Amino acid sequence: MSERETVRALLQRHGRTYAEEAGIRLRDTPQPLYRLLVLADLLSARIRASVAVDAARCLFEAGMKDARSMAQATWQQRVDALGHGGYRRYDERTATQLGDGAELLLERYGGDVRGMREEAGGDVERLKDVLQQVPGIGPAGADIFLREVQGIWPEAHPYLDGKALQGAGRCGLPGDPQKLARLVKKEQTPALAAALVRAALDKAVADDVRG
């Protein structure tokens, strides 16, 4: 199987972004970007991705879709929403982080994640640092956010970090982000990144596409 055939199989079978799974229609506007930031926080914990996605959906369905509504929710409301999504091991700490992060975002950027992009001035390494100012967003969370947002923030493209490259290795694909990115259309790169991460997390994904 050629590299392009492997990538095609990856996209067809496993190429749904985590934002899509969580019901986020990602656009360069405040609410979907905030929801992606919340999802990145949840996904970065040592917990199954499906649980993090379910918990994010529950937070959004409970009305916590932007920084203001997250900050205005009580700690217990955040805990309950996380619990409904099965996110119980980290629910209390995460509920606190989400509240603190929303307050920080409101205070520094008027609740608009795009303010962090502006502060970074097109420098992706700087943007990684700025994202990590948010409680709950560490290096892993920043990587998750940037893998997903690269489709609408061109300066982040191609964002195929260590976890994605680990998946690429399992699938017999190049370990160089630029070479990988050339195997897909630019707008497909977030989906490729998500599929490669799934391959890194689950060897069965790699076995499936290598067949």
Side-chain angles (χ1 to χ4, degrees):
M1 184 180 283
S2 72
E3 290 176 350
R4 287 193 182 276
E5 287 171 334
T6 300
V7 165
R8 194 176 304 121
L10 265 173
L11 289 174
Q12 287 175 346
R13 301 174 197 174
H14 306 285
R16 196 176 184 207
T17 67
Y18 288 100
E20 287 172 331
E21 279 196 8
I24 302 168
R25 294 181 61 188
L26 198 54
R27 300 184 303 279
D28 193 24
T29 54
Q31 189 179 110
L33 288 169
Y34 176 72
R35 292 168 73 184
L36 177 60
L37 192 68
V38 169
L39 179 62
D41 181 342
L42 301 182
L43 282 167
S44 61
R46 292 181 180 276
I47 200 163
R48 279 183 295 120
S50 60
V51 173
V53 167
D54 287 346
R57 280 184 170 275
C58 287
L59 285 165
F60 306 150
E61 287 167 4
M64 292 168 247
K65 297 178 180 180
D66 55 37
R68 192 162 302 283
S69 57
M70 184 67 78
Q72 289 175 345
T74 66
W75 178 82
Q76 191 61 53
Q77 285 172 326
R78 293 192 291 268
V79 168
D80 290 346
L82 290 166
H84 286 316
Y87 203 89
R88 294 188 178 87
R89 184 176 172 192
Y90 301 100
D91 55 352
E92 295 187 356
R93 184 184 72 185
T94 302
T96 299
Q97 289 174 344
L98 289 171
D100 292 346
E103 293 283 3
L104 179 144
L105 202 62
L106 288 165
E107 182 180 316
R108 294 190 186 173
Y109 307 105
D112 191 342
V113 175
R114 293 176 300 180
M116 291 193 280
R117 182 189 187 191
E118 291 170 12
E119 185 174 320
D123 183 331
V124 177
E125 289 302 314
R126 172 66 182 140
L127 180 54
K128 284 177 70 172
D129 291 339
V130 174
L131 286 165
Q132 290 176 67
Q133 296 172 6
V134 180
I137 300 291
D143 283 341
I144 292 164
F145 183 91
L146 290 166
R147 285 198 305 259
E148 298 270 323
V149 86
Q150 65 181 309
I152 55 172
W153 287 2
E155 70 272 23
H157 178 272
Y159 201 88
L160 296 157
D161 63 319
K163 185 62 72 176
L165 296 180
Q166 181 186 338
R170 274 189 167 178
C171 295
L173 293 168
D176 176 81
Q178 297 290 343
K179 289 181 180 178
L180 278 172
R182 284 197 288 270
L183 294 171
V184 294
K185 296 177 182 176
K186 188 172 183 178
E187 62 269 21
Q188 293 176 308
T189 314
L192 175 62
L196 291 173
V197 168
R198 291 187 178 96
L201 296 173
D202 184 356
K203 186 174 179 291
V205 171
D207 293 341
D208 177 42
V209 298
R210 297 189 78 174

